[in-house]
Amino acid sequence: MESLSKRAKVLEKKPMTFAERAYLPAIFQGLTITMRHFFRAATKKQVTVRYPDETRPFSPVFRGLHVLKRDEAGRERCTACGLCAVACPAEAITMVAGERKKGEENLYREEKYAVSYEINMLRCIFCGLCEEACPKAAVYLQADKMAPPRFERDEFIYGKDRLVEPVTPDNRSKRGIQLTPEQADKLRAQMQTV
């Protein structure tokens, strides 16, 4: 059948030489690549690191461990709206919503809050869609921390005890980056005025 564009090339099938039939060029090409990697590894510094004692530098676009943020007064920002769980393509986030009672205004910023909030780190693909979906800026993926290695599967399910940001300003972060001592002092001053 003739093509409509008439740009088709007619290829001739060349007969293979004896060396090509014996796969000699392919074998030498593979050995050349192997030897090149062998000598490159022997002449440069060691490419493996002893994790978790040593860590590699993070990429600027790295998205690490989740954190549930607090506001300036130390109250939890999460309102348990569920948008992060809906946005999660891996379905790694589960939560149970509850209503704030009288006397808990200093703990939770809104009337609704997450009684239970869990992220399964084995399912999480660290895409950051939960961070983008949160209307209250409560979920952030820290740029300087990653999930530590564990031996048991249930230790990878992070609850509020491991996700909620600490109350003290020295241990908080801003957009996932640990606060500097000056930033922590500034936040501490803001908390005292509120």
Side-chain angles (χ1 to χ4, degrees):
M1 177 186 280
E2 189 174 324
S3 72
L4 296 175
S5 64
K6 301 191 184 216
R7 288 183 290 180
K9 288 184 178 178
V10 179
L11 298 177
E12 293 179 28
K13 188 174 183 180
K14 295 182 203 172
M16 295 175 77
T17 64
F18 174 75
E20 289 172 337
R21 281 186 273 155
Y23 300 106
L24 290 177
I27 290 172
F28 286 116
Q29 187 179 9
L31 285 174
T32 305
I33 293 172
T34 303
M35 296 308 287
R36 187 173 54 213
H37 285 286
F38 175 77
F39 286 113
R40 184 180 296 165
T43 57
K44 290 189 175 182
K45 69 176 187 176
Q46 191 175 12
V47 293
T48 57
V49 295
R50 295 175 180 259
Y51 183 82
D53 297 332
E54 298 175 26
T55 56
R56 292 182 189 270
F58 292 110
S59 165
V61 295
F62 175 78
R63 292 182 290 252
L65 206 57
H66 302 72
V67 64
L68 289 176
K69 299 290 287 181
R70 295 181 182 271
D71 65 359
E72 295 78 20
R75 299 174 296 187
E76 291 181 17
R77 289 185 177 187
C78 180
T79 59
C81 64
L83 288 176
C84 55
V86 171
C88 181
E91 298 180 3
I93 301 174
T94 57
M95 68 177 68
V96 176
E99 290 194 21
R100 183 179 69 190
K101 297 175 185 153
K102 277 192 172 182
E104 293 181 338
E105 291 83 10
N106 59 343
L107 298 174
Y108 311 108
R109 191 162 81 172
E110 306 288 337
E111 292 178 4
K112 286 185 72 180
Y113 70 99
V115 175
S116 166
Y117 191 99
E118 290 181 344
I119 299 177
N120 187 341
M121 294 298 172
L122 294 175
R123 283 183 151 196
C124 180
I125 57 174
F126 300 95
C127 61
L129 290 177
C130 54
E131 182 180 338
E132 292 179 19
C134 185
K136 299 293 181 180
V139 180
Y140 274 103
L141 274 69
Q142 301 176 70
D144 58 347
K145 291 184 182 173
M146 58 192 330
R150 306 274 181 193
F151 293 104
E152 301 294 329
R153 293 181 70 84
D154 59 343
E155 292 176 349
F156 284 99
I157 298 174
Y158 282 46
K160 282 182 72 174
D161 56 330
R162 291 156 84 180
L163 292 172
V164 176
E165 188 176 47
V167 178
T168 58
D170 295 324
N171 296 329
R172 288 205 194 175
S173 61
K174 183 175 184 180
R175 296 196 60 79
I177 305 294
Q178 185 73 35
L179 290 182
T180 62
E182 295 82 24
Q183 290 172 327
D185 291 338
K186 186 178 177 183
L187 179 61
R188 188 176 293 111
Q190 284 179 351
M191 290 175 68
Q192 290 173 351
T193 57
V194 174

